[in-house]
Amino acid sequence: MPRPISATISLPSLRHNLAACAAQFKIANNSPGPQAAPKIWAVIKADAYGHDIENAVQAFELADGLAMLDLGEALRCRKAGWNKPILLLEGFFEPSDLKAIQHYSLTVTLHDAEQIAMLEHAAPASPVNAFVKLNTGMNRLGFEPADYRGAYARIEQLQRRGVVGALGKMTHFARADDSADMTDHQLRLFNETTQGLPGEVSVCNSAGMFIPGCWQSVAPGMAQWGRPGICLYGASPFADRSAQSLGLLPAMTLRSQLISVRTIQAGAGVGYGHIFTARQAMRIGVVACGYADGYPRHASTGTPIVVDGIRTRLLGRVSMDMLIVDLDPVPQARVGSPVVLWGEGGPPVDEVASAAGTISYELLCAVAPRVPKTVI
Ligand SMILES: *Cc1c(COP(=O)(O)O)cnc(C)c1O
C-alpha cells in the first residue's frame, strides 16, 4: 500500500468560493449605480495555488478570465478548453514569448519600458490585448506615476499600428489586508494618474474585494476586473478574519493516517532535538506526513491537527516524512486512525500557517508532487 497521505481537491468548494467572491464584488448585482458590473480574473498562478490548473479551469468556468504568470500554465488552460481571456500577470520576458502570446490570444501585463520596446519591434501578426500597470506604492511591478501617461501614449501608438489590441489599466495593493489608509492612498493615486485614459480597470486582489466600498471608488463608470486568488481556495487574506467568516469553504484537504502509537513517560523527549518533553506519561502518535510532503517544518508544538475527528496538537519538530501528535485527547486513536492536517474536518489552513509563522498561500503552493491528489 502507498503511504496513506493524500490531498483532496473539492471542485464544488472552488465553485462556491468563486461565487462568494463574485457576490462580494457585486458581480451578480444589477448594481443601481453608474458602475458597470465588475468581472473576475480568477488568479490561478502557481498551479492554482497548488490545486492544479486543470481543476481550476473546470471549477472556474463562470469566471470571466484566468490570470497567472507562467506561459506554460496559460497553454495548459487553452489545452483544457479555456476560450475566454487569460492574463499574464508579469507580461512577457523576451521577444520570443510574443509568438505564443499572439497565437493563444493571451492578454499581457505591461509594466516596464523594456516590454514596450520589444513590442515596437514585434510583427503585428495579431494584436495583443494588454493591461498597463501603474506602481501606486507596492514598488514591485509597474510604471511610476510620472511615467505612466507617457508609456500609455506609446502603447496607444502600437495600438494604431495593430500590434496592441484592447488596453486596460491596473495596479496592485500592498496592504489591502491591514491598512485602509495605504489602500485609500493607492486608489487615489491610481484614479488621479489614469483619469481619462480609455480602457478597463483591474485593481482589487482578494483583500481588496472584501473591503467595503473599495471597488466602487475606482474610476467610476469603467468596466472593472477583480483579481481574487487566495479566497478562491477557501483561505483568508486577513490575519484577523477567518475564511469561514468570509463565507469561504476549504478547497484542499490534506489527509493522512497514524502509522504508530505509543505511550511515553514523564520526562521523555519527542522527535529531533527533543524540543518537546512530556510533563507526565502520555500517549503519542506518528502521522505519515512531513516537510517533504509540504507540511511546514516551522510548525511548532501546539499546531492544531485533527485525529479521528478530534482536534489535538502537534508535538516537537516536524520530520521529513513524519510528524508526532498528542493522543491524550483521542483515547480511541490507533494505527490507521484518520488524520486531517488541514481542510474539511480539520484545522483551517490559515491556522496551521500562522502556527508556522507563515501564510496559507505558502502552504497550499508547497504541497509536494509526491502527495497524490484526489478530485471530488
Ligand atoms: C497573486 C496576485 C493576485 C491575487 O492575490 P490574492 O491575495 O491571492 O487574492 C492578484 N493580482 C496580482 C498581480 C497577483 O500577483
Side-chain angles (χ1 to χ4, degrees):
M1 152 176 173
R3 290 173 74 231
I5 191 167
S6 72
T8 305
I9 309 299
S10 162
L11 301 186
S13 295
L14 290 170
R15 280 192 199 103
H16 167 92
N17 294 333
L18 175 66
C21 286
Q24 191 60 41
F25 209 45
K26 304 242 169 62
I27 199 171
N29 278 11
N30 302 315
S31 39
Q35 199 95 26
K39 299 189 259 188
I40 289 198
W41 292 114
V43 178
I44 61 165
K45 61 194 180 193
D47 212 7
Y49 291 50
H51 294 66
D52 276 351
I53 291 285
E54 286 73 15
N55 294 332
V57 169
Q58 219 183 315
F60 298 151
E61 62 189 348
L62 293 180
D64 303 282
L66 299 175
M68 77 294 291
L69 34 88
D70 183 73
L71 194 52
E73 289 191 345
L75 302 198
R76 277 166 67 193
C77 294
R78 288 288 184 239
K79 290 214 172 75
W82 184 265
N83 296 318
K84 291 190 266 186
I86 293 179
L87 173 64
L88 292 172
L89 293 164
E90 295 177 352
F92 49 92
F93 310 103
E94 54 175 37
S96 64
D97 297 336
L98 284 166
K99 224 173 143 178
I101 285 168
Q102 290 172 326
H103 186 257
Y104 291 97
S105 301
L106 308 180
T107 301
V108 298
T109 303
L110 296 177
H111 57 83
D112 192 284
E114 293 290 335
Q115 292 174 315
I116 303 180
M118 291 183 220
L119 281 172
E120 284 169 345
H121 293 102
S126 59
V128 177
N129 295 340
F131 275 75
V132 184
K133 191 162 189 180
L134 173 68
N135 175 26
T136 53
M138 175 75 172
N139 290 316
R140 197 173 61 177
L141 298 183
F143 294 95
E144 292 306 311
D147 303 330
Y148 189 82
R149 295 183 79 95
Y152 213 86
R154 252 174 101 187
I155 297 163
E156 283 180 311
Q157 280 182 11
L158 287 165
Q159 206 176 26
R160 288 189 278 277
R161 275 182 43 203
V163 176
V164 169
L167 272 185
K169 304 166 282 188
M170 84 190 258
T171 192
H172 192 57
F173 292 140
R175 302 188 59 183
D177 57 327
D178 76 343
S179 168
D181 286 352
M182 184 60 198
T183 305
D184 274 353
H185 167 79
Q186 288 193 264
L187 268 174
R188 244 179 289 123
L189 187 53
F190 179 80
N191 285 339
E192 270 167 37
T193 310
T194 63
Q195 195 180 19
L197 297 177
E200 298 182 329
V201 170
S202 180
V203 173
C204 294
N205 54 0
S206 292
M209 293 179 68
F210 279 86
I211 297 173
C214 185
W215 70 266
Q216 288 96 332
S217 56
V218 180
M222 290 289 180
Q224 191 174 155
W225 292 77
R227 300 191 309 273
I230 195 68
C231 284
L232 299 175
Y233 307 99
S236 172
F238 305 103
D240 55 356
R241 293 169 76 183
S242 70
Q244 192 183 14
S245 77
L246 301 175
L248 306 170
L249 299 174
M252 178 197 290
T253 302
L254 186 61
R255 286 193 181 82
S256 189
Q257 290 179 8
L258 291 182
I259 59 168
S260 172
V261 169
R262 78 181 66 246
T263 299
I264 56 170
Q265 298 308 314
V270 167
Y272 286 122
H274 281 185
I275 60 170
F276 175 83
T277 306
R279 277 213 201 110
Q280 63 271 311
M282 66 187 294
R283 260 178 107 232
I284 63 172
V286 177
V287 181
C289 177
Y291 61 78
D293 299 301
Y295 193 89
R297 183 174 173 278
H298 288 106
S300 47
T301 291
T303 301
I305 184 164
V306 167
V307 177
D308 204 17
I310 291 172
R311 190 172 157 121
T312 178
R313 58 177 182 148
L314 175 77
L315 298 177
R317 220 167 245 163
V318 174
S319 304
M320 182 184 282
D321 311 297
M322 288 173 268
L323 54 82
I324 298 171
V325 293
D326 183 352
L327 293 183
D328 273 350
V330 204
Q332 76 277 20
R334 51 176 193 80
V335 169
S337 290
V339 175
V340 184
L341 297 122
W342 66 65
E344 215 181 311
V349 64
D350 290 313
E351 281 186 35
V352 179
S354 104
T358 185
I359 52 175
S360 56
Y361 299 67
E362 189 180 10
L363 268 50
L364 295 174
C365 295
V367 171
R370 79 175 190 182
V371 176
K373 286 202 186 82
T374 315
V375 180
I376 53 164

